[in-house]
Amino acid sequence: MKKVILVRYGEIILKGLNRPIFEDRLMTNIRKSLAGLGKVDVIRSQARIFIEPHDEDFDFDKAVEKLIKVFGIVSVSIVLKIDSDFEQIKMQSLIMAQKHVEYLLRTTKQSPKCQEQSEIISFKVEAKRGDKSFPMQSPQICAELGGYLLENIPSLRVDVHKPDFIFFVEVRENTYIYCDIIPSNGGLPIGSNGKGVLLLSGGIDSPAAGWMMAKRGMSIEAVHFYSYPYTSERAKDKVISLAKILAKYCYRIKLHIVPFTEIQLEINDKCPEELLTIIMRRVMMKIAERIALKSEAQALITGESLGQVASQTPQALAVTNAVVSLPVFRPLIGMDKNEVIEIARKIGTYETSILPYEDCCTVFVAKHPKTKPTLSETEKSEEGLHIEEMIEKAINDTEIIIVTE
Ligand code: ATP
Ligand code: MG
């Protein structure tokens, strides 16, 4: 008998011949995320992964907290691994169910239906028999085990439609029993889908955008443009904090901090006011692409959402795209701000993003930015800039920080 963690993964199962590559990547990422919690065996078995700690005092809650941030995982359960023997199953299930009922009675998880009889908890048993040599079929396991628990735990009653909890029994070579399934984010393991360079501002959108592409298996590298002294040192710290939060999901983020003041001043000086933002965005994209190519990344990522501001109209996005040849991923393009905020809250970046430090985009803004710029007028307006030299200098002066959680 042993307490272990059962990890379920979803989309990877559909990967056909490539499935082992994704599974190996997921197992590597699991090991990485649990490093520091003590020795564990990570074992793949029948489209699941089991994590078996070596030490008695292994911190299961901490491990679960880490695992639900590993992309590719759909859900996890802390389970008890026991022999596939029905007497054993009954005995251990009774102990586990009793503890769980006590826990539910202590917390608020009781069925609202039972408010008057607050000592009642409803349940059902769900059994899966993966090992056909086991003498009982699933319905029989459910009926007999359910009956046994009901007889021995006075506060239990059965509700097969809306139970307060489900008691799960999976009979395989060993049997696994558990009461909780903790959902995770799904997606694909980081590193299984190349690398993207995220344009990370201090706002709400770009961290959420980076998280969404990481969820699809991209490793993330980040670029931040800052305009000291127009933006403060604290604005830079805020971006480092955001990268730190993202690193909980992405392991390690190489953050390029690019000095942008001279470029902004030059654009401000030489370009028409209504095109300031779009030209600034084009220079940002160019620099980000240079960094991406050097880092062997295959895409740029931004937090743009259609129509949010003047630089995010279809025409403006086309003018921005024209300056780079790498694909630009904009996972928030069809989202409302509220939907983005929901993601930011879920991933833990929201509270940091709303801290009131200025971004370089907000320092030099036009009163009436053009919402439908054309490529030819924008290119014409850029003619007086020494773009190549400016970019070269900014890249040379870039500070690189390796951010870990
Ligand atoms: P966010 O909430 O992420 O700041 P936003 O709504 O403020 O986005 P914009 O300021 O127009 O929108 O920026 C659009 C996108 O451009 C951002 O999502 C980000 O990807 C990129 N970006 C803007 N400012 C910076 C910056 N200072 N450094 C790096 N990328 C930036
Ligand atoms: Mg912004």
Side-chain angles (χ1 to χ4, degrees):
M1 186 183 72
K2 201 168 184 199
K3 204 161 134 183
V4 304
I5 299 177
L6 162 60
V7 171
R8 302 174 194 82
Y9 45 92
E11 203 177 319
I12 293 173
I13 295 167
L14 309 173
K15 289 290 174 200
L17 290 178
N18 285 331
R19 180 169 143 185
I21 301 172
F22 284 84
E23 287 175 329
D24 286 347
R25 176 73 69 170
L26 180 59
M27 288 170 64
T28 304
N29 290 356
I30 286 175
R31 284 192 194 95
K32 238 198 265 182
S33 72
L34 297 181
L37 291 186
K39 248 185 149 184
V40 295
D41 291 327
V42 179
I43 304 154
R44 170 174 38 194
S45 158
Q46 299 174 314
R48 271 124 192 276
I49 291 169
F50 291 96
I51 295 160
E52 305 204 357
H54 288 204
D55 301 330
E56 294 271 301
D57 58 353
F58 183 74
D59 189 342
F60 281 85
D61 291 336
K62 186 90 201 154
V64 167
E65 192 190 312
K66 299 249 177 206
L67 288 168
I68 57 173
K69 293 193 175 71
V70 176
F71 294 126
I73 294 179
V74 169
S75 64
V76 300
S77 293
I78 299 174
V79 309
L80 200 63
K81 176 181 174 185
I82 52 182
D83 291 341
S84 290
D85 161 77
F86 197 58
E87 281 314 305
Q88 269 278 327
I89 294 173
K90 271 170 38 183
M91 193 173 79
Q92 295 303 334
S93 297
L94 180 57
I95 298 170
M96 183 182 278
Q98 228 150 10
K99 271 198 204 150
H100 196 65
V101 167
E102 278 164 24
Y103 164 76
L104 290 179
L105 285 172
R106 263 201 324 273
T107 59
T108 50
K109 278 194 183 169
Q110 298 167 36
S111 160
K113 287 175 287 178
C114 302
Q115 257 161 14
E116 311 91 69
Q117 314 154 281
S118 59
E119 295 301 299
I120 298 291
I121 295 288
S122 64
F123 87 117
K124 73 171 175 180
V125 175
E126 243 179 58
K128 250 192 230 147
R129 188 182 61 145
D131 173 8
K132 300 297 172 211
S133 68
F134 190 74
M136 296 161 76
Q137 291 189 354
S138 307
Q140 194 187 355
I141 301 173
C142 289
E144 291 201 19
L145 185 61
Y148 179 74
L149 296 178
L150 210 52
E151 251 169 55
N152 288 283
I153 306 176
S155 37
L156 271 187
R157 73 173 173 79
V158 174
D159 182 344
V160 290
H161 301 295
K162 265 190 146 189
D164 292 327
F165 80 98
I166 300 176
F167 194 89
F168 296 94
V169 187
E170 291 188 24
V171 183
R172 295 159 180 259
E173 204 171 302
N174 291 286
T175 291
Y176 301 91
I177 57 174
Y178 54 95
C179 307
D180 250 337
I181 297 179
I182 303 144
S184 182
N185 295 300
L188 294 169
I190 293 225
S192 64
N193 257 326
K195 191 196 285 179
V197 165
L198 168 68
L199 283 85
L200 181 63
S201 72
I204 297 168
D205 302 332
S206 45
W211 183 86
M212 283 183 71
M213 295 320 302
K215 180 157 96 75
R216 294 306 297 167
M218 284 205 115
S219 302
I220 300 292
E221 204 161 307
V223 184
H224 176 67
F225 299 92
Y226 83 112
S227 292
Y228 189 77
Y230 297 93
T231 62
S232 68
E233 209 41 46
R234 287 193 305 179
K236 180 170 137 188
D237 291 343
K238 176 182 173 182
V239 169
I240 296 172
S241 304
L242 287 170
K244 248 179 165 0
I245 300 170
L246 283 181
K248 290 184 183 179
Y249 302 88
C250 305
Y251 308 107
R252 161 188 187 281
I253 294 182
K254 193 171 176 186
L255 172 62
H256 303 255
I257 309 245
V258 183
F260 207 54
T261 319
E262 279 178 37
I263 295 177
Q264 281 198 295
L265 290 173
E266 166 104 350
I267 295 173
N268 208 31
D269 194 34
K270 300 212 170 123
C271 301
E273 197 197 323
E274 81 251 29
L275 292 175
L276 286 184
T277 310
I278 190 82
I279 292 172
M280 192 182 76
R281 306 217 26 83
R282 279 162 58 88
V283 179
M284 281 185 178
M285 294 300 258
K286 249 183 184 300
I287 294 176
E289 185 179 54
R290 290 288 161 89
I291 290 172
L293 292 173
K294 226 159 121 192
S295 296
E296 297 180 353
Q298 300 82 24
L300 303 177
I301 303 166
T302 77
E304 288 158 316
S305 149
L306 194 65
Q308 196 186 73
V309 287
S311 60
Q312 295 171 26
T313 63
Q315 292 84 352
L317 293 173
V319 173
T320 307
N321 273 11
V323 83
V324 290
S325 46
L326 281 182
V328 183
F329 293 159
R330 299 181 169 93
L332 314 182
I333 197 73
M335 284 192 185
D336 293 352
K337 195 76 187 187
N338 281 343
E339 295 170 292
V340 180
I341 288 176
E342 208 174 294
I343 295 174
R345 280 192 202 279
K346 178 169 101 169
I347 67 178
T349 50
Y350 183 74
E351 295 303 328
T352 306
S353 286
I354 58 172
L355 293 173
Y357 306 131
E358 62 298 320
D359 179 63
C360 67
C361 283
T362 54
V363 176
F364 303 93
V365 279
K367 275 205 193 78
H368 301 291
K370 221 171 186 161
T371 53
K372 292 181 187 165
T374 64
L375 184 56
S376 56
E377 69 175 330
T378 312
E379 280 175 345
K380 202 158 182 323
S381 307
E382 288 169 351
E383 274 169 7
L385 300 172
H386 299 97
I387 290 188
E388 256 321 302
E389 288 97 314
M390 292 190 315
I391 290 180
E392 193 88 346
K393 180 158 192 315
I395 290 181
N396 281 339
D397 294 343
T398 292
E399 178 189 358
I400 294 176
I401 303 175
I402 303 295
V403 182
T404 51
E405 110 171 62

